[in-house]
Amino acid sequence: MASSSTDTRRLWGLYAGLVLAIGLLLSVAELQHYLARGGSHPWEPFLWELSSVLCGGLLGVAVYRWHVAGLALHSRWRQLGRHLLGAAAYILAHVSGMFAIRFGVYALMQVDYYTDSPIQVLAYEAGKDLVSYGFAVAICHGLYLSLQAQRLRGELAEARLARLAEQVQPHFLFNSLNLISATMYEDVAKADRLLCQLSDLLRQTLKAQQAGWHSLDEELRLVQPFLDLMQARFGGRLRVRVEASAAARACQLPALLLISPVENAVKHDVAASSAEVELLVAAQLQGQLLLIRVENSGIAPQRTEREGAFGLANLRERVLASFGSGAEVLLAPRAGGGAVLSLSLPLTGRLA
């Protein structure tokens, strides 16, 4: 939402700058002719041109809204009739506003201002304003198509992220049920307790999935019940540490981004090891990057991709869709044994 507001302000700023630049360029060009004709008030060309461009710029916003509202009309003839009406209103508003500004400034400067009769002025300005209105409609239509394309790209990206997030949950559920099934043959009471913890965890993941994005702190609080579940499964053989700075915890992330790498670390590196394993989830800011590590002392990966690594592929796709090519996901052996999964996320857009 904040990003959208910033984009809107930037768009309005660009538009105001463009209107001012056009007004100044026309004023400088008119000034040369004015001085060549022996004019004695150099501010007059600036008043003439800026009053015209300012009124045209303000009316451009109304033309955009008038044009977009008219697109709902399916008949081309009705759209043409609407634009003829709009052009007439544009001419009247532009001429009235422009001369109101000029008469006001001339009065303040105590300089006489002579013009042709209102009919002659309107006839002269109408020809130029019809051309201006046509250009304005063409530009507005191009802007409308550009904004529509941007909106559709945003909706497509959101749909893609939602699909990827939905893939995480069944994958996580199946793996957790398999772990609980293995426990059931050893300790029925513990398996029953694990099922209750899994039920609570699923309720939280559903709530997080509906939120879309939330803070790293909320993501870590979502991961914690899963870690509790796994510690109950593996007992004292699994030791867990979470280290994250306050600044890192405030950053925004797509919901359920961390559950998959943490789950994969348990499934591939903890469950496969017979020794005690320490699992570390760490996060910190470094310059314009949020760095997250999921590190364990279990089994070292043989390559940068795990066999059948759906979770890692899903994670990479979500990170790319959320943060672009500036983000990075790396899986590597850990010094002293085990594996390190590193996420490097740029502090841009929704992450900051």
Side-chain angles (χ1 to χ4, degrees), residues 222-244:
L222 180 67
V223 169
Q224 190 59 53
F226 173 75
L227 293 174
D228 294 340
L229 188 67
M230 292 302 103
Q231 281 187 299
R233 164 72 178 90
F234 293 103
R237 198 165 68 77
L238 173 62
R239 289 177 285 114
V240 174
R241 282 194 298 138
V242 177
E243 298 177 357

Side-chain angles (χ1 to χ4, degrees), residues 161-177:
L161 283 173
R163 176 181 60 81
L164 291 169
E166 288 169 358
Q167 289 175 349
V168 170
Q169 190 169 319
H171 177 253
F172 153 75
L173 177 61
F174 295 147
N175 287 341
S176 298
L177 288 175

